[in-house]
Amino acid sequence: MSTSTFLHLPSQVVDLKNWYLTLPIGEAKDATNVFNPDLQTYSHPIFFHVNDTGDAVVFHSFSGGATTKGTHNPRSELREMKNTTMAWWSANEGVHTMTFTGCTLSLPTTRPSTVIGQVHRGVDDVIEVRCWIPKKSNKVVIDVFHDHMNYGVLCSDYTLGEKYTIKIMVSDGNIKVFYDDMDFPKLTLPCHYDKCFFKVGSYIQCNPVLHN
């Protein structure tokens, strides 16, 4: 790619109009948020930037980073918006879809687990799509879970750096999760919550204070 056409800002690669960004930097329990219109011209050289080939956005977090009030774990993650207000929608009305293509390059060593996509309902997660290495295993797995409930595996032997496409579609009181095949869902789960929204990025499940 020539220098003249290289994309330097994440907003040039991904449409960020209906999102805000949380980064693992700032004071304890007060992670940094970047809202629009500032997000359109924002880039961070470590935690949120365009990759070397100019065709993807890098989300990076680290164990020990600043967190939000509701969690012990840090994130570099987008939260769904509706223009300049928080997005809220009902799982029982309309069709709500998030599709993302990417790859997970590395996992934390202390606790090898990273959430790459979520359906959230304000006070709690509904589902998290997780890339991790289960205990007593050496294989990387991509699955769907919430708290201590595992809803099913999307990929049982993932290779770090390998590209995936994931679609989460919510309608008629159900969540459908697609992995690579966008015509047939891998998982279908009931969901009847109001005030839902999507999140996507790198939300590592690792904090050195809790997981040493």
Side-chain angles (χ1 to χ4, degrees), residues 89-97 169-174:
W89 40 263
S90 171
N92 300 303
E93 299 176 3
V95 179
H96 311 278
T97 304
M169 185 169 67
V170 186
S171 65
D172 298 324
N174 287 296

Side-chain angles (χ1 to χ4, degrees), residues 97-138:
T97 304
M98 176 174 70
T99 304
F100 58 96
T101 297
C103 64
T104 301
L105 297 175
S106 63
L107 295 170
T109 55
T110 307
R111 188 185 185 196
S113 179
T114 298
V115 170
I116 55 180
Q118 300 185 59
V119 176
H120 211 283
R121 62 181 180 98
V123 298
D124 196 8
D125 312 320
V126 179
I127 62 163
E128 299 105 309
V129 180
R130 168 180 59 177
C131 182
W132 72 310
I133 302 174
K135 290 181 179 179
K136 299 180 181 180
S137 173
N138 58 5

Side-chain angles (χ1 to χ4, degrees), residues 40-112:
Q40 296 301 313
T41 55
Y42 184 82
S43 178
H44 190 283
I46 299 173
F47 301 112
F48 183 71
H49 59 90
V50 177
N51 67 348
D52 291 340
T53 54
D55 59 358
V57 176
V58 176
F59 294 83
H60 176 72
S61 191
F62 69 101
S63 182
T67 69
T68 55
K69 292 180 181 179
T71 181
H72 297 292
N73 300 318
R75 70 187 81 205
S76 174
E77 189 178 48
L78 295 170
R79 193 269 196 211
E80 185 185 7
M81 299 281 285
K82 185 176 181 180
N83 297 316
T84 58
T85 60
M86 299 291 183
W88 306 101
W89 40 263
S90 171
N92 300 303
E93 299 176 3
V95 179
H96 311 278
T97 304
M98 176 174 70
T99 304
F100 58 96
T101 297
C103 64
T104 301
L105 297 175
S106 63
L107 295 170
T109 55
T110 307
R111 188 185 185 196

